[in-house]
Amino acid sequence: MSSIPAKKSLVSPGRKPMISREDIIAAALKLLGPSRSVSTLSLREVAREAGIAPNSFYRHFRDMDELAVALIDMAGESLRQIIGDARQRATLEVSVVQSCTDAFMEQLRADDRLLHILLREGTVGSDAFKRAVERQLSFFEEELGQDLIRLAALKGSGLCQPALTAKAITRLVFTMGATVLDLPRDKQDELAAQIVKMVRMIIAGTQTLAAIGAKKTD
Amino acid sequence: MSSIPAKKSLVSPGRKPMISREDIIAAALKLLGPSRSVSTLSLREVAREAGIAPNSFYRHFRDMDELAVALIDMAGESLRQIIGDARQRATLEVSVVQSCTDAFMEQLRADDRLLHILLREGTVGSDAFKRAVERQLSFFEEELGQDLIRLAALKGSGLCQPALTAKAITRLVFTMGATVLDLPRDKQDELAAQIVKMVRMIIAGTQTLAAIGAKKTD
DNA sequence: GCCAATACAATACAATCGTCTATACAGTTG
DNA sequence: CAACTGTATAGACGATTGTATTGTATTGGC
């Protein structure tokens, strides 16, 4: 992506920046929590937390919306990294599904603020914000779709509309994940188990439909 | 459920109310839209729209939060009514799934503000608000679960964990519905078709898993 | 007709918001 | 050294927020 002060001379005369984009992002993250969403953050509040004057915010972001989009992009990249790792750790013993959902739930429980944002704020906020969330979700769907195809080929099981299946799984897991965040610790495991079952249900469904479709075309 | 001035003398001397709870709710609904969520509404704004002084708002609601919960409850009841009708209209020709999702999508397209709220604001807002949404969703799941059981008995097909299946379908349809709201008219039908397929996928999955489970216990 | 109860309006308050202008500071460059 | 330049700050503006207080209009029962 591109940082805001796009035009930057090779040497930079003038006062050294006291604060970076990342510092502001960190400050914003510190303010966020289970009962505090990005859309309720004010510019002044973030600036206060970052220890800068309200106006200094503008040196790094055009407005709060741009900060929000930056947060979403970070969240998406972070989670894809995590899931990517989990994918590679998956063996023939531990299924990809189990491995990935485990990683997902672990990250949920780690109270990852970035993940919070990605899960729960896709439906409110500015258009730019919603589009950013949608983009990250579609990245996920794409990767998951590839996974499903690979998995089906490996196991020789059918696969009905991989893209659609990936979309269903992604959206379902993300909403369910969002509700997990509001649950007390002791109920989280229960819901986590439910999520895994739901995913298996969808996968079983796509395989069954594929089998029926194949039979019909015989 | 209960109006705010709970203590009401049997006889009521005094000025007649010029405005009702419902008027305020109507004003709030008029302000809402695709790019305006309940959580961004201010008390003054609603009062202005309703044509009353800011303070008069308190005669009917304790705060904006209570208004929001009232909206959610209305939305839930409304949609359940609609789906209930669709359920009864379903014949052997037109499946319950098709009939209900059709009714759902039709309501979506009708730009029903109440439905907007229910779909997209479950993850932000106050605890009371989130709990209200969660409650309405669980009502849905309950009814859908009964439907699934009836359907399975009728068709003689298996059914693996009806409650879980109902939950998966409900959550998936609701999130997908929320993304439909942000789509241009011409893409909505496409996504609507996808949703139906996803639901069929889950149902196929639950039946398959039930069959496997039955075979195992043989 | 009067009284008490009620509903609403008017005004005001402190707090917060985003943003504008002007200014002080810290480096680099000549 | 002085001049320039980009950074950060200070202060203020107008707007808006939720709410407390106070006042006024209207109604029904006596």
Side-chain angles (χ1 to χ4, degrees):
Chain A
M1 315 315 171
S2 63
S3 57
I4 280 309
K7 44 146 189 162
K8 195 174 224 176
S9 51
L10 286 88
V11 288
S12 61
R15 191 173 170 178
K16 284 279 171 63
M18 297 186 60
I19 222 169
S20 68
R21 240 175 110 92
E22 284 65 35
D23 292 327
I24 294 182
I25 289 181
L29 281 177
K30 218 185 305 181
L31 290 172
L32 293 174
S35 56
R36 202 68 205 283
S37 62
V38 180
S39 44
T40 69
L41 285 186
S42 74
L43 183 150
R44 290 181 102 105
E45 208 175 359
V46 174
R48 212 179 302 136
E49 180 68 35
I52 58 172
N55 271 327
S56 303
F57 181 92
Y58 294 114
R59 293 272 161 200
H60 305 276
F61 299 95
R62 181 196 312 275
D63 49 28
M64 283 297 295
D65 228 67
E66 197 168 273
L67 208 199
V69 171
L71 285 171
I72 284 295
D73 286 344
M74 280 180 61
E77 284 163 26
S78 158
L79 186 55
R80 264 183 297 151
Q81 176 70 41
I82 290 164
I83 298 295
D85 290 350
R87 200 193 323 269
Q88 293 205 323
R89 271 203 311 275
T91 61
L92 285 176
E93 318 298 325
V94 182
S95 77
V96 176
V97 173
Q98 188 67 48
S99 174
C100 288
T101 46
D102 278 355
F104 183 77
M105 296 309 297
E106 187 188 340
Q107 201 65 14
L108 267 189
R109 264 186 285 264
D111 188 42
D112 180 354
R113 265 84 190 270
L114 280 173
L115 189 48
H116 281 60
I117 310 172
L118 193 54
L119 290 189
R120 66 189 342 170
E121 313 211 41
T123 54
V124 289
S126 69
D127 286 346
F129 192 91
K130 282 192 275 193
R131 256 180 284 120
V133 174
E134 201 65 24
R135 193 159 48 92
Q136 294 299 328
L137 283 185
S138 68
F139 286 159
F140 253 91
E141 288 169 19
E142 176 63 27
E143 294 188 4
L144 179 56
Q146 296 303 324
D147 251 13
L148 291 175
I149 293 175
R150 200 174 327 123
L151 208 66
L154 197 72
K155 292 203 171 187
S157 56
L159 186 59
C160 175
Q161 311 206 47
L164 192 80
T165 308
K167 193 172 200 166
I169 293 178
T170 305
R171 305 293 166 139
L172 184 57
V173 169
F174 273 61
T175 13
M176 293 301 294
T179 82
V180 166
L181 296 178
D182 293 320
L183 249 48
R185 211 73 170 190
D186 51 316
K187 299 249 179 108
Q188 292 191 351
D189 292 328
E190 186 185 332
L191 196 49
Q194 286 191 0
I195 295 179
V196 175
K197 281 181 196 161
M198 288 176 180
V199 173
R200 294 208 179 283
M201 208 171 263
I202 294 179
I203 291 180
T206 206
Q207 291 174 348
T208 302
L209 290 186
I212 294 174
K215 196 174 290 181
K216 268 188 184 165
T217 54
D218 275 354
Chain B
M1 306 311 172
S2 66
S3 56
I4 280 311
K7 44 145 191 162
K8 195 174 227 178
S9 52
L10 286 88
V11 290
S12 64
R15 192 174 171 178
K16 286 281 174 63
M18 295 184 60
I19 223 171
S20 68
R21 243 176 106 93
E22 284 65 36
D23 292 327
I24 294 183
I25 290 180
L29 281 177
K30 217 186 306 183
L31 290 172
L32 293 175
S35 57
R36 202 69 207 282
S37 62
V38 180
S39 44
T40 68
L41 285 186
S42 75
L43 183 150
R44 289 183 104 105
E45 207 175 356
V46 174
R48 213 180 303 137
E49 180 68 33
I52 59 174
N55 272 326
S56 302
F57 181 91
Y58 293 113
R59 295 272 158 195
H60 305 275
F61 298 95
R62 183 195 312 276
D63 49 27
M64 283 297 296
D65 228 66
E66 197 169 272
L67 209 198
V69 171
L71 285 172
I72 285 295
D73 286 344
M74 282 180 59
E77 285 163 26
S78 158
L79 185 55
R80 264 183 297 151
Q81 176 70 42
I82 289 164
I83 298 294
D85 290 350
R87 199 193 325 270
Q88 293 206 323
R89 271 205 311 276
T91 62
L92 284 176
E93 319 297 326
V94 182
S95 78
V96 175
V97 174
Q98 187 67 48
S99 174
C100 287
T101 46
D102 278 355
F104 183 77
M105 295 310 296
E106 185 186 342
Q107 201 65 13
L108 267 189
R109 263 185 285 263
D111 188 43
D112 180 354
R113 263 85 190 268
L114 281 174
L115 189 49
H116 280 60
I117 309 172
L118 193 54
L119 290 189
R120 66 187 346 168
E121 313 210 41
T123 54
V124 288
S126 68
D127 286 346
F129 193 93
K130 281 192 275 194
R131 257 182 283 118
V133 174
E134 201 64 24
R135 192 159 49 92
Q136 294 300 328
L137 283 186
S138 69
F139 287 159
F140 252 92
E141 289 170 18
E142 177 61 28
E143 295 188 4
L144 180 56
Q146 296 303 323
D147 250 15
L148 290 176
I149 292 175
R150 201 176 325 125
L151 208 67
L154 196 74
K155 293 203 169 186
S157 54
L159 186 58
C160 174
Q161 311 208 49
L164 192 81
T165 309
K167 193 172 202 166
I169 293 178
T170 304
R171 306 293 166 141
L172 184 57
V173 169
F174 273 60
T175 13
M176 292 301 293
T179 81
V180 166
L181 296 178
D182 293 321
L183 248 48
R185 211 71 170 192
D186 50 315
K187 298 251 178 105
Q188 293 191 349
D189 292 328
E190 187 185 333
L191 197 48
Q194 285 191 359
I195 295 179
V196 175
K197 280 182 197 161
M198 288 177 180
V199 174
R200 294 206 179 283
M201 208 172 263
I202 294 180
I203 291 181
T206 205
Q207 292 175 349
T208 302
L209 291 186
I212 295 174
K215 196 173 291 181
K216 268 186 185 166
T217 56
D218 275 353

